[in-house]
Amino acid sequence: MQTIICIGEALIDMICTDKGKTLEAGEHFLKKTGGAPTNVAAAIAALGGRVELAAKVGADPFGQQLIHTMQEFGVNTQWMCSSKEHFTTFAFVSLKEDGERDFVFNRGADGHLMEQEITDILNNGTGIVHFGSATAFLPGPLKTTYTNLLTEAKTKNCFVSFDPNYRHLLFAHRQQSFIEQSLQFLKVSNFFKVSDEEAMLLSGKSTVNDAANWLLKYTDATFCITLGREGTLLCFQQQQILIPSIKVEVVDTTGAGDAFVGAVLYQLSCLEKNELPQLPAHQWQEIVLNANKAGARTCTYMGAMEAFKYLSSDIFKA
């Protein structure tokens, strides 16, 4: 089994549980471990994969919570660094009465992961490197570390996975920067996952079909465009194949996309490294269908980490 490296943010989500309240008015908050690549790493480990997480947290109780949560899932945390200078990153979120999110991002340690702190992270056992963090495109040391690891991963012939994770509330005034940086990663990725919104944003197209066609010309990667209940559009060697979604009673969609990516990478890690560039369409279809099962299972629980406790590769056999 190949080792998977995930790099990016590890943070604490503070979710306001006062329905319809703004962050100013809200008084009750639920503390959850989060961060897209952190979720992906936990999902991979839950499925039985070999995974390591490169991220920076504060040397505080919240950073310890993140490290211990990853260890409980079986994620290798040797590359999770603790900072005495910076507090663990927080994201505060509330759903207002009009359905819009009230959001405050209090960035701390995660943006300060230094390149020298993950020297030699790519070794002979590393087959797959996953870049899954929109926050890595914000100014700070993580941005340089993230980009340089991409270059090293390509040099060492690792399989590169990317999930841009666009967050409008983070990039409202930096949208063009987000697009340009994401396109650099899409160009050299072997696999990437985007939502329908992200596909249209990155391609500049107004329909998912046009966006898919544009991306097929832009990159040689195999990629997926997630369409929610409509399924997942698998784009492979100029083909577009719609993989149906799995019908479930949805409780919470948090972490479903990360479970999907984790399931794809877990299945790829079970194959030999030299097999990955030559996978046929029918095998990709099976991989994506199984990933849809993982995403669906996650939607039946409240919160990503809670859902991942019930995630296992046994669901692929159903």
Side-chain angles (χ1 to χ4, degrees), residues 13-18 28-32 91-94:
D13 285 313
M14 295 294 287
I15 303 164
C16 182
T17 57
D18 297 323
H28 302 93
F29 290 83
L30 191 62
K31 175 168 63 79
K32 294 286 188 180
F92 295 84
V93 63
S94 178

Side-chain angles (χ1 to χ4, degrees), residues 212-213 216 223 233-241 280-281 285:
N213 285 329
L216 280 166
F223 62 92
L233 190 63
L234 167 64
C235 298
F236 173 78
Q237 294 183 352
Q238 305 308 310
Q239 302 178 64
Q240 294 184 35
I241 307 165
Q285 287 177 258

Side-chain angles (χ1 to χ4, degrees), residues 154-174:
K154 295 304 294 184
T155 300
K156 293 188 175 180
N157 200 31
C158 295
F159 185 94
V160 170
S161 165
F162 176 56
D163 184 354
N165 274 300
Y166 177 70
R167 297 291 180 266
H168 177 72
L169 294 167
L170 283 180
F171 287 95
H173 305 294
R174 301 184 178 97

Side-chain angles (χ1 to χ4, degrees), residues 12-278:
I12 297 292
D13 285 313
M14 295 294 287
I15 303 164
C16 182
T17 57
D18 297 323
K19 191 175 180 180
K21 296 285 188 180
T22 63
L23 288 176
E24 180 182 357
E27 296 182 351
H28 302 93
F29 290 83
L30 191 62
K31 175 168 63 79
K32 294 286 188 180
T33 54
T38 302
N39 287 343
V40 170
I44 292 168
L47 289 165
R50 186 184 299 151
V51 59
E52 303 175 4
L53 176 63
K56 199 164 194 175
V57 298
D60 51 55
F62 305 104
Q64 285 302 305
Q65 178 185 341
L66 282 156
I67 292 171
H68 290 157
T69 299
M70 290 298 97
Q71 290 173 342
E72 286 169 4
F73 275 103
V75 176
N76 186 321
T77 59
Q78 65 174 312
W79 307 108
M80 288 187 74
C81 308
S82 294
S83 170
K84 294 181 180 179
E85 291 77 32
H86 303 282
F87 206 72
T88 298
T89 297
F90 277 79
F92 295 84
V93 63
S94 178
L95 194 63
K96 298 185 290 187
E97 288 184 356
D98 61 3
E100 292 296 315
R101 288 191 173 192
D102 198 10
F103 179 83
V104 172
F105 187 61
N106 188 3
R107 198 180 197 200
D110 89 284
H112 293 273
L113 182 66
M114 308 288 286
E115 191 174 359
Q116 57 266 34
E117 292 174 309
I118 59 168
T119 302
D120 299 325
I121 190 172
L122 301 185
N123 55 47
N124 292 334
T126 305
I128 299 170
V129 185
H130 175 64
F131 300 83
S133 176
T135 57
F137 292 153
L138 297 172
L142 174 60
K143 181 178 176 180
T144 301
T145 304
Y146 199 72
T147 305
N148 288 348
L149 184 62
L150 174 68
T151 302
E152 185 181 357
K154 295 304 294 184
T155 300
K156 293 188 175 180
N157 200 31
C158 295
F159 185 94
V160 170
S161 165
F162 176 56
D163 184 354
N165 274 300
Y166 177 70
R167 297 291 180 266
H168 177 72
L169 294 167
L170 283 180
F171 287 95
H173 305 294
R174 301 184 178 97
Q175 196 174 84
Q176 192 55 40
S177 173
F178 172 84
I179 292 170
E180 291 172 359
Q181 292 181 82
S182 293
L183 289 177
Q184 292 176 19
F185 276 73
L186 295 184
K187 189 73 173 177
V188 298
S189 293
N190 300 102
F191 169 80
F192 63 86
K193 190 276 288 182
V194 288
S195 67
D196 48 0
E197 176 194 11
E198 290 165 343
M200 290 184 285
L201 173 67
L202 295 171
S203 65
K205 302 300 180 181
S206 57
T207 69
V208 172
N209 184 257
D210 287 345
N213 285 329
W214 187 91
L215 289 167
L216 280 166
K217 292 176 183 176
Y218 182 79
T219 175
D220 293 327
T222 297
F223 62 92
C224 290
I225 303 177
T226 52
L227 308 172
R229 292 179 179 177
E230 301 302 314
T232 301
L233 190 63
L234 167 64
C235 298
F236 173 78
Q237 294 183 352
Q238 305 308 310
Q239 302 178 64
Q240 294 184 35
I241 307 165
L242 184 63
I243 311 297
S245 59
I246 310 299
K247 291 184 179 180
V248 292
E249 194 69 36
V250 175
V251 174
D252 180 17
T253 60
T254 303
D258 299 325
F260 176 94
V261 172
V264 169
L265 299 183
Y266 163 72
Q267 292 174 87
L268 294 176
S269 75
C270 294
L271 302 172
E272 294 296 327
K273 193 172 182 177
N274 58 9
E275 290 183 78
L276 301 187
Q278 303 165 28

